[in-house]
Amino acid sequence: AALLEHITPALRDVPADLPFDERLERGVEANVLQSVAQLRAISERVLGEGEPRPLVVGAVYHLDDGSVRVLPD
């Protein structure tokens, strides 16, 4: 249940009337992008002025074929 509380905000903009497969894919992408935004925000708060920032990118791993798709910012 706690995990769902973190994912649910990312799913609010995913239309409920989409076919299941498309809704699932968009939901996964939305969750990844939300996580990227959170990691970037945390690094801004934690790192001091002038310190190099980590490169945070979002990607989706496809279990069916092992491919990885990097998401645009």
Side-chain angles (χ1 to χ4, degrees):
L3 180 61
L4 270 180
E5 291 175 18
H6 294 286
I7 295 172
T8 301
L11 303 178
R12 289 197 175 109
D13 293 331
V14 177
D17 60 344
L18 292 174
F20 177 78
D21 289 345
E22 188 174 348
R23 195 173 64 220
L24 178 63
E25 186 164 340
R26 284 201 195 177
V28 168
E29 290 175 3
N31 182 52
V32 169
L33 294 174
Q34 174 181 272
S35 298
V36 166
Q38 290 171 340
L39 288 169
R40 288 178 177 163
I42 289 168
S43 70
E44 289 296 319
R45 289 193 305 267
V46 172
L47 297 173
E49 184 71 30
E51 289 189 58
R53 302 295 187 238
L55 176 62
V56 180
V57 297
V60 176
Y61 175 75
H62 294 274
L63 293 172
D64 56 342
D65 63 7
S67 66
V68 176
R69 185 170 47 86
V70 176
L71 299 178
D73 281 340

